[in-house]
Each structure stands twice: as C-alpha cells, then as structure tokens.
Amino acid sequence: EVRLDREFDAIFVHDAVAYLTTLDDLARAAETAFLHCRSGGAALFAPDAIRDTFQGTTHCGGRDDETRGLRYLQWIWDPDPGDSTYVADFAYVLREGAGVPRIEHDRHVFGLFARAEWLRVLRDAGFEPRAEPLVHSEVPAGTVEMFVAIKP
C-alpha cells in the first residue's frame, strides 16, 4: 500500500517477498511495484522458492568465541503441500560462558506459489514477466527462479 509518488528505472523485490503468503498479498505487491516502475523499467522479484521446484532442506552452522557460542539448525519443509505456504523452523543452541546452553525455536511461514501463478499475477499487474533461473555457486542449478517483470 506504500505510494511514494515517484517512479524508478528498476525495482528489486528481494527475498522478503517470501513473507507474502496469499496470492492477494502478492498481487498487491506487484501492483505497488508496477505503479513505481517507469515505462521501460524493470522489477526483479526474488522469492526463495517456488512450488514447481520446492525441495525441503536443512542447513546448520554456528560459531564460538571465548565467552559465548551459537549453533543453529534451519529446517525448511512443507507441512501441507495442498496450501500456499511452507515453513522454516530454526533451532538455536546458545551458550553464555561456561553455563548450560539454552535452546530457542523460531518459525517463519513463507508463501509458496507456482511459476504460472507468479507470471499471472505479474501480468495482471501490467508487467511483461518472465522466469529466470538463479545462477549462483551456492545454489543448486534449477532450484531457484527469479521473475523479471518489464513495464511496457
């Protein structure tokens, strides 16, 4: 719903777009991007995942210093493949000094839409969209797509 009364040559809707969990929310974001994009400009939408290529996964890591430490597990999974969301559960093990570590849990719910839904929403907003694979050394080929949307 933000209206800046300005237009830009390029708009980047980064992975925070994943927090939009309904097609209506996604459509409002696309409309906002369209209104702020100059003719001939582009908007880049970069969701973490799309339904077509979604794969559950885990990541872990952490670090220590002399006074404290942290370990984490990120578990990405889809508890209900019939809806438009997936979750990322984080488990943190935190240590202060020589004390007993404590455990914290954090859950993020993300939107999960099919490529065709993304393209339709962007087209309905007025863009000429296309899907492009994300090419990155830390991303398995063919698992993440971005959407380039050109304003005519």
Side-chain angles (χ1 to χ4, degrees):
E1 298 174 4
V2 171
R3 299 296 184 256
L4 302 175
D5 297 321
R6 291 182 59 192
E7 291 183 331
F8 301 90
D9 293 326
I11 296 171
F12 179 44
V13 185
H14 58 78
D15 59 353
V17 74
Y19 285 97
L20 303 178
T21 59
T22 69
L23 284 172
D24 286 341
D25 288 341
L26 187 59
R28 284 195 297 276
E31 176 188 332
T32 297
F34 186 83
L35 291 173
H36 290 92
C37 193
R38 282 195 181 99
S39 292
L44 175 65
F45 291 79
D48 286 342
I50 65 169
R51 172 66 65 197
D52 308 71
T53 59
F54 178 82
Q55 295 178 353
T57 187
T58 60
H59 303 279
C60 62
R63 54 189 289 180
D64 295 301
D65 64 25
E66 297 78 33
T67 61
R68 60 188 176 177
L70 174 139
R71 293 289 179 267
Y72 72 88
L73 168 67
Q74 178 189 35
W75 181 12
I76 298 169
W77 63 294
D78 188 356
D80 182 0
D83 71 6
S84 65
T85 63
Y86 70 101
V87 298
D89 282 307
F90 292 84
Y92 299 99
V93 181
L94 306 149
R95 178 190 53 80
E96 293 284 341
V100 175
R102 76 177 197 278
I103 298 171
E104 300 289 338
H105 172 255
D106 187 24
R107 173 172 271 197
H108 297 256
V109 178
F110 299 122
L112 187 60
F113 308 107
R115 179 184 307 108
E117 292 173 312
W118 273 96
L119 293 171
R120 180 183 52 76
V121 163
L122 295 170
R123 197 172 298 109
D124 288 352
F127 285 112
E128 295 173 354
R130 70 180 187 273
E132 292 289 337
L134 174 64
V135 178
H136 189 283
S137 62
E138 295 180 18
V139 176
T143 61
V144 178
E145 293 182 18
M146 300 178 297
F147 296 91
V148 178
I150 306 299
K151 183 173 182 176

